[in-house]
């Protein structure tokens, strides 16, 4: 089966690589020439564990190829649209669909009448987008209106950055929104390798599939915000949010996942997708308070973390040296999109602090960001910590979990640690006489 994937970002590249691993002939198309040139040389533009090996292996065996030419879709039976759907620049939270619609228009030119085709949105798109794609294609290609072998489908992606390959290869479920039996059969055939691994495949109408994607992301965002609110309560009243999460999570109806408190959710999806879902409610004139509350709470959380840091450095934060370990929105990625650090760090600098940072995925793109323009970057963790007044763990990279705390204590000027991911143990810190603060519990100093 020949497949074309339009968009070679996190989702497009992972989809193309994984499908080529199943032995399909896949062409991955992107209009970013330098990205495609890199990929042709097996240089992966993103940090994603396992992706490089998969691309190399399948490019070599010729199952996977790359192109900048949208005309390459003409030989494919299945065309995935996997381009970005960022928040619109208007600031109203709506998803900007220009990349999806431009890709649709480009693809339309190359839809052959004689062969059956399935055009599938993998991008996260608001409800109604599949129908709009259909409308655009028919308006540009009226000759296809009566073609019984041409369909639009929705197949949202649920992979997470940092574990994208595993998530694609062993998904909790595959959701396919279809409008015909033939499209359903084609998708069944496509995902047979996953189905054989017992991944449930559910077929729905187009609208349900589109809503399932946003509803899933928003629900997870609600879960994270909920536990962050419980953490705030524990910090005031006593109690430990990790025990609270454990106690809640053992209830099968709740489950233990996505109950880790932190500096607020970030990344390229939860923030933009909660905004886009809220905007779908507004657009349809339906009152919604729950998602809006989560959006507002999460925005405010980053500022409240900066205030927590300010409090720890009492009597004054000005000229104090703060070392931040990890700036990405989560470990195992170099993605900085909507990372809480992009709000917390500028706020600390505004308050007069001197900020140093370390991140295992650091690359030249980090220093280009205006939010980080006063940050001093370090390659070595202990060097970064040396003579600092405060150490903040922002991202729970494995590299930080095994830090030699005695060495850390020696290196710090004031032995204060703020662990925004609770990767250390309060009792160990007590023994070392380190002033240890985390999320959702009172530190030893506060208890005295
Ligand atoms: P991305 O920004 O990393 O990549 C999008 C790619 O599409 C870019 O390389 C861009 O050059 C290319 N592109 C844009 N217009 C094009 C066109 N007309 N022709 C060819 N190429 C074009 O985006 P992403 O993170 O891969 O996300 C893509 C979609 O998948 C979004 O809707 C996102 O919400 C969704 N999604 C993302 C993730 C994730 O973990 N990043 C997970 C699930 C779903
Ligand atoms: C998320 C979803 O998990 C994927 O299913 C979805 O496909 C994807 O968005 C998307 O639509 O793009 P991702 O953004 O890669 O994946 O990362 P997550 O692991 O979900 O983490 C998102 C944010 O929530 C991170 O900032 C993370 O630190 C935070 N988080 C997550 C918590 O604070 N606590 C948790 O318990 C879990």
């Amino acid at each position: 089966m020949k497949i074309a994937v339009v968009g070679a970002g996190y989702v497009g590249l992972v989809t193309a690589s994984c499908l080529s691993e199943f032995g399909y002939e896949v062409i991955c198309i992107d209009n970013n020439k330098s990205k495609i040139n890199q990929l042709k040389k097996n240089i992966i533009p993103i940090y994603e564990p396992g992706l490089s090996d998969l691309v190399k292996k399948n490019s070599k065996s010729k199952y996977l190829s790359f192109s900048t030419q949208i005309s390459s879709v003409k030989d494919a039976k299945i065309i995935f649209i996997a381009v970005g759907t960022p928040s619109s620049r208007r600031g109203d939270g709506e998803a900007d669909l220009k990349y999806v619609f431009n890709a649709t228009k480009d693809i339309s030119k190359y839809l052959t009448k004689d062969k059956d085709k399935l055009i599938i949105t993998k991008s996260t798109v608001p409800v109604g987008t599949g129908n709009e794609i259909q409308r655009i294609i028919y308006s540009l290609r009226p000759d296809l209106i009566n073609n019984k072998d041409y369909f639009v489908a929705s197949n949202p992606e649920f992979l997470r950055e940092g574990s994208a390959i595993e998530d694609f290869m062993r998904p909790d479920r595959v959701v396919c929104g279809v409008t015909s039996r033939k499209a359903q059969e084609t998708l069944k055939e496509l995902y047979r390798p996953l189905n054989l691994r017992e991944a449930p495949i559910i077929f729905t109408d187009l609208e349900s599939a589109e809503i399932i994607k946003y509803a899933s992301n928003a629900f997870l965002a609600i879960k994270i915000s909920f536990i962050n609110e419980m953490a705030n309560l524990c910090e005031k009243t006593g109690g430990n949010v990790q025990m609270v999460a454990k106690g809640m999570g053992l209830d099968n109806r709740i489950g233990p996942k996505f109950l880790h408190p932190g500096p607020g959710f970030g990344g390229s999806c939860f923030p933009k997708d909660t905004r886009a879902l809220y905007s779908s409610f507004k657009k349809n004139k339906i009152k919604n308070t729950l998602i809006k509350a989560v959006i507002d709470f999460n925005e405010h959380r980053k500022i409240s973390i900066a205030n927590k840091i300010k409090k720890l450095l009492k009597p004054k934060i000005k000229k104090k040296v703060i070392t931040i370990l990890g700036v990405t929105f989560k470990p195992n990625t170099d993605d900085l999109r909507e990372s809480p650090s992009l709000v917390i760090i500028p706020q600390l600098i505004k308050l007069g602090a001197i900020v140093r940072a370390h991140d295992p995925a650091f690359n030249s793109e980090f220093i280009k960001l205006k939010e980080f323009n006063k940050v001093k970057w370090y390659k070595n963790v202990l060097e970064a910590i040396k003579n600092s007044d405060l150490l903040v763990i922002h991202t729970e990279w494995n590299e930080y979990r095994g830090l030699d705390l005695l060495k850390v204590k020696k290196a710090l000027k004031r032995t204060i640690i703020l662990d925004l991911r609770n990767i250390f143990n309060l009792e160990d810190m007590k023994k070392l006489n380190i002033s240890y603060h985390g999320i959702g519990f009172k530190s030893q100093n506060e208890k005295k």
Side-chain angles (χ1 to χ4, degrees):
M1 181 150 33
K2 287 193 177 176
I3 298 167
V5 178
V6 181
Y10 283 87
V11 167
L13 192 52
V14 170
T15 302
S17 311
C18 290
L19 291 176
S20 69
E21 179 71 7
F22 291 148
Y24 298 128
E25 209 179 303
V26 187
I27 183 147
C28 187
I29 304 157
D30 202 292
N31 56 10
N32 181 329
K33 278 194 187 131
S34 80
K35 203 179 246 192
I36 292 296
N37 283 339
Q38 280 185 309
L39 285 165
K40 282 183 173 171
K41 291 183 211 149
N42 285 334
I43 301 167
I44 313 298
I46 51 172
Y47 178 109
E48 184 59 49
L51 187 56
S52 175
D53 289 345
L54 218 52
V55 169
K56 266 187 214 150
K57 181 182 162 209
N58 291 298
S59 301
K60 200 173 167 205
S61 58
K62 308 245 181 295
Y63 284 119
L64 178 63
S65 57
F66 297 97
S67 173
T68 52
Q69 300 302 313
I70 197 76
S71 57
S72 312
V73 300
K74 68 177 182 300
D75 299 321
K77 180 183 172 86
I78 292 179
I79 303 168
F80 279 105
I81 299 179
V83 300
T85 49
S87 290
S88 95
R89 284 177 182 224
R90 290 188 304 273
D92 54 10
E94 217 174 295
D96 185 347
L97 293 175
K98 71 167 173 284
Y99 302 103
V100 171
F101 293 151
N102 286 342
T104 305
K105 287 174 199 161
D106 293 345
I107 292 166
S108 297
K109 293 181 208 147
Y110 300 99
L111 294 173
T112 35
K113 254 201 292 185
D114 49 330
K115 290 188 193 137
D116 60 327
K117 295 258 183 220
L118 187 58
I119 297 170
I120 308 177
T121 40
K122 241 209 189 302
S123 301
T124 303
V125 292
V127 57
T129 306
N131 287 329
E132 185 59 16
I133 287 174
Q134 183 83 77
R135 199 196 58 73
I136 292 173
I137 294 174
Y138 284 156
S139 75
L140 296 170
R141 293 290 305 272
D143 56 314
L144 288 175
I145 292 175
N146 294 321
N147 190 327
K148 301 252 179 313
D149 294 323
Y150 151 80
F151 303 102
V152 168
S154 162
N155 172 219
E157 182 50 58
F158 299 95
L159 63 79
R160 288 162 301 171
E161 290 180 22
S163 52
I165 310 257
E166 182 63 15
D167 286 349
F168 191 95
M169 292 295 200
R170 298 188 189 280
D172 287 348
R173 79 302 204 186
V174 176
V175 174
C176 302
V178 291
T179 54
S180 76
R181 181 150 288 278
K182 189 151 189 191
Q184 179 161 338
E185 290 310 316
T186 306
L187 276 154
K188 229 184 210 168
E189 172 66 13
L190 174 74
Y191 284 121
R192 193 165 38 92
L194 293 183
N195 205 220
L196 288 174
R197 289 178 179 174
E198 309 209 331
I201 302 187
I202 68 159
F203 289 96
T204 68
D205 52 277
L206 277 182
E207 289 85 352
S208 300
E210 289 166 344
I211 294 175
I212 286 170
K213 174 63 196 173
Y214 279 104
S216 303
N217 272 4
F219 194 80
L220 293 171
I222 290 173
K223 229 179 152 183
I224 298 167
S225 299
F226 184 87
I227 204 67
N228 282 338
E229 278 214 312
M230 293 306 120
N232 286 348
L233 182 64
C234 291
E235 283 171 24
K236 272 265 164 22
T237 60
N240 185 323
V241 76
Q242 279 169 283
M243 288 182 196
V244 173
K246 194 165 185 188
M248 287 171 63
L250 284 170
D251 184 326
N252 282 335
R253 294 167 302 174
I254 298 174
K257 294 183 178 163
F258 281 72
L259 283 180
H260 302 287
F265 58 77
S268 66
C269 294
F270 284 173
K272 84 162 169 68
D273 291 348
T274 43
R275 289 193 295 261
L277 183 58
Y278 177 60
S279 121
S280 284
F281 276 84
K282 269 202 312 197
K283 212 169 163 185
N284 287 289
K285 299 192 171 54
I286 307 165
K287 189 173 160 60
N288 176 294
T289 47
L290 193 51
I291 295 157
K292 179 75 169 76
V294 166
I295 296 167
D296 292 345
F297 174 79
N298 198 59
E299 277 311 302
H300 182 257
R301 180 139 190 95
K302 300 169 229 171
I303 297 295
S304 68
I305 296 287
N307 288 337
K308 193 176 167 97
I309 294 174
K310 185 179 167 202
K311 229 169 128 188
L312 285 175
L313 288 171
K314 266 201 306 204
K316 64 177 175 80
I317 185 171
K318 210 166 175 190
K319 299 237 166 78
K320 292 285 180 338
V321 179
I322 302 171
T323 299
I324 313 275
L325 294 188
V327 293
T328 51
F329 79 100
K330 64 183 277 188
N332 296 324
T333 179
D334 60 357
D335 199 342
L336 287 167
R337 289 180 282 184
E338 304 223 25
S339 176
S341 67
L342 292 171
V343 176
I344 298 168
I345 290 179
Q347 184 67 13
L348 297 177
I349 289 170
K350 203 169 134 197
L351 292 169
I354 297 160
V355 177
R356 299 175 180 174
H358 172 275
D359 194 287
F362 173 80
N363 62 49
S364 57
E365 295 301 309
F366 287 32
I367 39 182
K368 289 184 191 157
L369 293 174
K370 67 175 187 323
E371 289 87 347
F372 291 164
N373 67 359
K374 289 199 173 131
V375 174
K376 185 154 189 224
W377 295 94
Y378 287 77
K379 282 189 178 153
N380 179 287
V381 177
L382 286 176
E383 278 298 311
I385 295 171
K386 207 169 171 180
N387 287 327
S388 288
D389 294 281
L390 173 69
L391 165 61
V392 179
I393 312 277
H394 173 276
T395 315
E396 68 278 32
W397 284 91
N398 274 341
E399 183 175 341
Y400 304 142
R401 293 180 189 271
L403 274 180
D404 183 333
L405 294 171
L406 263 180
K407 284 190 182 160
V408 169
K409 188 181 165 185
K410 261 193 196 156
L412 284 167
K413 187 164 149 199
R414 287 170 72 185
T415 50
I416 319 176
I417 297 180
L418 172 62
D419 179 359
L420 298 174
R421 304 290 182 167
N422 294 346
I423 62 171
F424 294 118
N425 183 304
L426 181 60
E427 294 308 312
D428 294 345
M429 294 291 184
K430 266 188 199 165
K431 280 185 207 144
L432 288 167
N433 212 14
I434 292 173
S435 171
Y436 177 67
H437 307 261
I439 297 285
F441 59 86
K442 283 189 175 185
S443 76
Q444 67 269 39
N445 299 349
E446 286 162 314
K447 267 186 178 159
K448 274 181 201 161

